Amino acid sequence: MSAFMDLVQKRRSIRDYRPDPVPREMIESCVEAVRFAPSASDTRGWRFFVVEGDVKDRLVKEAMGGVVVPNRFAAGAPVIVALAMKLNVVTHRLGAGIKRIDYHLLDAGIAGEHFILRAAELGLGTCWIGWFDKKKAKRILDIPSDWDVPALITVGFPAEEPKSKDRPLASEICTFRNGK
Ligand SMILES: Cc1cc2nc3c(=O)[nH]c(=O)nc-3n(C[C@H](O)[C@H](O)[C@H](O)COP(=O)(O)O)c2cc1C
């Protein structure tokens, strides 16, 4: 198996972390992987906010609670990354409005996955967080009001090894349309 296929098969969402701090160079290396991500019209609107210490504690307490899906586990992650998107007027506002496709969310997803896969390669655990209070998160992190924050990502050294889970077969998620 190729190193890439091995990496994508082994990556799991991690929700239990060791308290050890994450070296800054590791985070920088994950961001380095994002530099090469594709984006709609090459707009490169990604902006990463790396949150640690007291600010992280506040973020978890005020923006990540919740009755339905509590993401309190994030309190144990030494780092939370806020994936922000600086919206481009032509591509992300006009183009998206005309085509009804949220290009900036596609861009964010691709960028986040580059980040996460590089993190996995470095032995870091991550978890996408889509369930949080965006308004509060933006206020706590002082992110400009006209930027979007579609996701947070917890980062740290794993303290758990989730067992493998069932995955759909390629044939279940892929259909060929070739006119035959
Ligand atoms: C956009 C997105 C949002 C997610 N939001 C949350 C979340 O708020 N809380 C959480 O615990 N996991 C969240 N997850 C993680 C998924 O639950 C997880 O990826 C899925 O169950 C598959 O497990 P795996 O990542 O271990 O393969 C999110 C994943 C994605 C891609």
Side-chain angles (χ1 to χ4, degrees), residues 43-49 81-86 143 147-148:
T43 41
R44 310 169 184 186
W46 338 286
R47 300 289 184 272
F48 286 79
F49 290 79
V81 169
L83 173 41
M85 292 301 295
K86 187 175 187 294
I143 294 176
W147 294 13
D148 193 16

Side-chain angles (χ1 to χ4, degrees), residues 11-13 15 69 71 73 127-131 165 167:
R11 182 219 55 84
R12 291 296 316 278
S13 290
R15 298 183 179 85
V69 185
N71 278 315
F73 75 86
C127 187
W128 280 93
I129 303 284
W131 192 269
K165 57 159 46 173
R167 304 291 182 174

Side-chain angles (χ1 to χ4, degrees), residues 165-173:
K165 57 159 46 173
D166 282 347
R167 304 291 182 174
L169 295 172
S171 59
E172 292 176 293
I173 58 171

Side-chain angles (χ1 to χ4, degrees), residues 3 8 23 35 37 48 58 62 66 75 77 88 113 119-120 128 144 148 161 168 174 177 180:
V8 293
R35 290 181 54 222
F48 286 79
R58 212 181 135 208
E62 295 179 27
N88 177 278
E113 203 56 16
W128 280 93
D148 193 16
E161 206 176 314
C174 174
R177 298 245 193 272
K180 287 180 191 148

Side-chain angles (χ1 to χ4, degrees), residues 71-129:
N71 278 315
R72 294 277 183 210
F73 75 86
V79 175
I80 297 176
V81 169
L83 173 41
M85 292 301 295
K86 187 175 187 294
L87 301 190
N88 177 278
V89 174
V90 176
T91 303
H92 297 141
R93 292 197 194 278
L94 284 176
I98 292 165
K99 291 293 170 197
R100 298 190 178 281
I101 297 172
D102 287 328
Y103 297 112
H104 83 282
L105 297 182
L106 290 171
D107 292 354
I110 296 165
E113 203 56 16
H114 273 225
F115 184 100
I116 272 176
L117 288 175
R118 175 60 180 151
E121 188 172 53
L122 292 171
L124 290 168
T126 57
C127 187
W128 280 93
I129 303 284

Side-chain angles (χ1 to χ4, degrees), residues 4-22:
F4 177 75
M5 290 306 282
D6 191 47
L7 182 69
V8 293
Q9 287 190 17
K10 287 211 180 108
R11 182 219 55 84
R12 291 296 316 278
S13 290
I14 297 298
R15 298 183 179 85
D16 191 10
Y17 296 94
R18 285 173 17 207
D20 315 52
V22 178

